[in-house]
């Protein structure tokens, strides 16, 4: 009975979307979060929506937005004899400018430890006092507080062989960068649920106030995404853009102030490089001077990348344009041919939250389509 009721609810929501969709123009709706991209793919929503509603994947996959110049830095660190790289698994197979990855480096003798939490990385440092353990801090506002806690704990316990290479990115600045890009055409945003549990709703207000764009913080179940779409379409139809919360069971308007305090104690905003988007002011996080002993950039004297180092690796890979919503994965000439999950060329195919991985697995354009069905 419950399953039948759920199907009826979903059918009703799809009907609402169809009713609210404008008949005279297409709409571009960006799902910012990579977890939303995977949820939409798995549910088959793209195939169920009206043709004039185009869902675009955005720059909300932390592995995907990591720039080539950052990848080259941690690959060079991995080659140092006294260094152990501690990382989440998604970064293992991301290729750098020359096509090599952390997995390749490990095969050549580099010490790379896959961890499941920042505290696991601290344990690696404790267990290897003669080695320098560098944790690769990739992620958004969701993961930054836990990384900050590991730095605080390392300082309190005097663990001097632990440091963090901060690859953290911030969501609101990249959304503004997208809206300032003349190539990008977005009518509304499905805003990330996980990030919003930390930052709340206020950091998104500029979307409506300054750019007249609709936004809804949305959960990850199929009915959440459809409800979020209905709310977005109502805003667009009435020409009253605002920022709303659909995911009320997970997100408070004020977010998580204590988590932000911990994050602000260790990190401060800094300019950051994004794949496909270039340098975005104040869109990253760097470790504060008071914790400099735990900043891998300072410990290893890592310079800022030179301009010629900031060129993307494979010019045929459209990952940058896909992250901006300019292209869909199947519009990349490498997709499903030279670039597959078993042989990825770009990070959008590597990551479990990457748009190309989702399209390959869950749409008719990819080789995983039959398996997914």
């Amino acid at each position: 009975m419950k399953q039948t009721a759920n199907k009826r609810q979903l059918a009703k929501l799809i009907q609402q979307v169809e009713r609210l969709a404008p008949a005279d123009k297409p709409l571009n709706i960006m799902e910012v979060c990579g977890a939303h991209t995977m949820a939409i793919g798995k549910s088959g929503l793209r195939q169920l929506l009206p043709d004039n509603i185009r869902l675009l994947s955005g720059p909300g996959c932390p592995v995907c937005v990591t720039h080539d110049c950052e990848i080259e830095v941690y690959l060079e660190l991995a080659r140092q004899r006294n260094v152990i790289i501690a990382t989440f698994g998604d970064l293992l197979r991301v290729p750098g400018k020359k096509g090599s990855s952390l997995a390749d480096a490990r095969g050549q003798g580099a010490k790379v430890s896959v961890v499941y939490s920042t505290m696991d990385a601290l344990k690696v440092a404790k267990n290897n006092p003669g080695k320098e353990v560098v944790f690769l801090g990739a992620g958004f506002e969701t993961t930054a507080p836990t990384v900050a806690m590991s730095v605080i704990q390392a300082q309190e316990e005097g663990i001097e062989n632990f440091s963090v290479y901060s690859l953290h990115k911030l969501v609101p600045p990249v959304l503004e960068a997208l809206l300032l890009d003349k190539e990008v055409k977005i009518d509304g945003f499905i805003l990330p649920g996980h990030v919003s549990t930390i930052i709340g709703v206020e950091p998104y207000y500029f979307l409506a106030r300054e750019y007249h764009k609709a936004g809804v913080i949305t959960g990850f179940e199929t009915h959440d995404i459809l409800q979020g779409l209905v709310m977005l379409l109502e805003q667009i139809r009435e020409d009253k853009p605002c920022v709303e919360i659909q995911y009320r069971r997970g997100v408070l308007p004020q977010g998580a102030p204590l988590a932000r305090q911990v994050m602000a104690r260790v990190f401060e905003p800094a300019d950051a490089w994004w794949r496909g988007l270039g340098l975005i002011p104040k869109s990253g996080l760097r470790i504060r001077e008071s914790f400099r002993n735990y900043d891998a950039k300072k410990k290893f004297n890592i310079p800022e990348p030179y301009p010629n180092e900031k060129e993307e690796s494979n010019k045929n890979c459209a990952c940058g344009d896909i992250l901006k919503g300019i292209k869909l994965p199947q519009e990349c000439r490498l997709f499903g041919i030279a670039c597959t999950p078993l042989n990825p060329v770009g990070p959008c195919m590597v990551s479990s939250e990457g748009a190309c991985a989702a399209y390959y697995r869950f749409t008719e354009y990819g080789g995983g389509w039959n398996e997914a069905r």
Side-chain angles (χ1 to χ4, degrees), residues 70-84:
E70 297 171 317
I71 295 172
E72 291 304 313
V73 167
Y74 67 65
L75 286 175
E76 183 60 32
L77 285 173
R79 296 184 188 107
Q80 297 193 24
R81 294 180 63 181
N82 69 322
V83 169
I84 298 175

Side-chain angles (χ1 to χ4, degrees), residues 118-119 139-152 168 195 197-199 256-264 266-267 285:
T118 53
M119 296 307 168
F140 297 103
E141 293 93 336
T142 317
T143 57
T146 62
V147 177
M149 281 300 303
S150 72
V151 171
I152 292 169
H168 290 103
V195 165
T197 62
I198 304 297
I199 68 173
L258 289 177
R260 294 199 301 275
Q261 287 175 21
V262 170
M263 184 167 63
V266 174
F267 293 109
L285 292 174

Side-chain angles (χ1 to χ4, degrees), residues 268-274 279-286 297 304:
E268 61 185 1
D271 299 348
W273 287 89
W274 295 63
L279 186 68
I280 301 177
K282 305 299 183 184
S283 66
L285 292 174
R286 67 183 172 207
K297 289 183 179 179
E304 291 298 318

Side-chain angles (χ1 to χ4, degrees), residues 142 192-200 217 247 250-252 254-257 259-260:
T142 317
H194 295 144
V195 165
S196 302
T197 62
I198 304 297
I199 68 173
I217 297 169
Y247 190 35
V251 175
L252 298 173
Q254 70 272 25
R260 294 199 301 275

Side-chain angles (χ1 to χ4, degrees), residues 4-19:
T4 302
N6 286 341
K7 287 182 178 180
R8 289 173 180 169
Q9 181 189 26
L10 293 177
K12 185 177 179 180
L13 286 168
I14 290 172
Q15 289 173 358
Q16 287 181 273
V17 170
E18 292 172 342
R19 177 176 57 82

